[in-house]
Amino acid sequence: QSALTQPASVSGSPGQSITISCTGPSSDVGGYDYGYDYVSWYQQHPGKAPKLLIFDVTQRPSGVSNRFSGSKSGNTASLTISGLQAEDEADYYCCSYPSGTTWVFGGGTKVTVL
Amino acid sequence: EVQLVESGGGIVQPGGSLRLSCAASGFTFSDYWMHWVRQAPGKGLVWVSRINSDGSGAVYADSVKGRFTVSRDNAKTTLYLQMNTLRAEDTAVYYCARASHYYMDVWGKGATVTVSS
């Protein structure tokens, strides 16, 4: 149950785009042999509960801003925040379902809006 | 409104036990798998356990296997986490979360567990 690797911090100015990577063994982020993709992303503001941002690599729940988007290439998933806003300053976590029975989170990335 | 509310946190000595509860409302609890996720002070999220919708199956992270037991009472729409043989490294905020397919779409606000002598 190794953790997924994320950069500790990413920063950007208001209006810019930033990308957070999430890398793991191909068996984790790469997904099942069947080709399903189970990477999700969560946003957490200080002292608050996590909030689902992206599921199934690219899907956005209703109510989540379209400034947030997800993608994957090989064993690296990515979360892009476009048009960075002050309210986006938070911690972000990726999560995968590598083994078919257990889940694993990334170490988290602190996003700072300059 | 879909809601999860954890309770039962507190301070316990090493080697002690504690049971967390997670009261669900606003959705058909018995239709969903449920998770426990924890976060040590200043650290990241760590998945702890998952239980299936009827309570017949559960899986655990290696770090808690054999010490923690997840259960549920669908009639009371409540999820539980029985934590035994607690260690200092179990100190964390414990969140319950609703499972939707392979992700967690609804989270509670968390319950704080402190293991200290």
Side-chain angles (χ1 to χ4, degrees):
Chain A
Q1 297 172 349
S2 56
L4 304 173
T5 300
Q6 299 180 232
S9 63
V10 173
S11 61
S13 299
Q16 284 187 329
S17 293
I18 62 170
T19 296
I20 303 168
S21 60
C22 170
T23 302
S26 58
S27 59
D28 287 3
V29 177
Y32 272 157
D33 290 339
Y34 307 109
Y36 291 104
D37 295 330
Y38 299 134
V39 178
S40 52
W41 289 90
Y42 302 86
Q43 177 192 58
Q44 186 181 36
H45 287 103
K48 301 294 187 182
K51 172 190 172 184
L52 176 67
L53 281 183
I54 297 287
F55 65 94
D56 294 353
V57 179
T58 62
Q59 302 303 301
R60 217 173 25 249
S62 60
V64 171
S65 170
N66 59 8
R67 298 186 299 104
F68 295 93
S69 62
S71 63
K72 193 183 80 167
S73 178
N75 64 332
T76 297
S78 298
L79 173 71
T80 298
I81 309 176
S82 305
L84 198 62
Q85 299 179 2
E87 67 207 49
D88 300 331
E89 191 159 288
D91 294 325
Y92 293 81
Y93 296 89
C94 61
C95 182
S96 185
Y97 179 55
S99 65
T101 55
T102 60
W103 281 255
V104 62
F105 283 94
T109 298
K110 181 176 179 61
V111 167
T112 301
V113 181
L114 302 171
Chain B
E1 179 193 5
V2 174
Q3 196 170 13
L4 298 171
V5 179
E6 300 93 338
S7 60
I11 302 173
V12 61
Q13 291 189 338
S17 298
L18 207 58
R19 188 177 83 155
L20 301 181
S21 299
C22 168
S25 59
F27 65 99
T28 305
F29 181 69
S30 57
D31 284 349
Y32 290 86
W33 292 5
M34 296 292 295
H35 293 277
W36 287 100
V37 176
R38 70 183 182 183
Q39 185 170 36
K43 302 297 185 181
L45 301 175
V46 176
W47 176 81
V48 173
S49 180
R50 184 273 298 160
I51 188 168
N52 62 8
S53 56
D54 65 3
S56 62
V59 289
Y60 302 90
D62 289 344
S63 58
V64 306
K65 200 175 295 182
R67 300 187 299 123
F68 289 13
T69 303
V70 61
S71 62
R72 63 192 296 161
D73 185 333
N74 285 345
K76 296 183 178 178
T77 66
T78 302
L79 175 73
Y80 303 100
L81 185 67
Q82 177 67 44
M83 303 183 292
N84 298 330
T85 320
L86 282 162
R87 307 166 179 165
E89 54 265 35
D90 296 318
T91 293
V93 175
Y94 285 74
Y95 296 99
C96 62
R98 188 177 77 172
S100 184
H101 298 285
Y102 304 110
Y103 52 93
M104 302 154 199
D105 66 342
V106 179
W107 295 67
K109 292 186 181 339
T112 301
V113 172
T114 302
V115 183
S116 174
S117 54

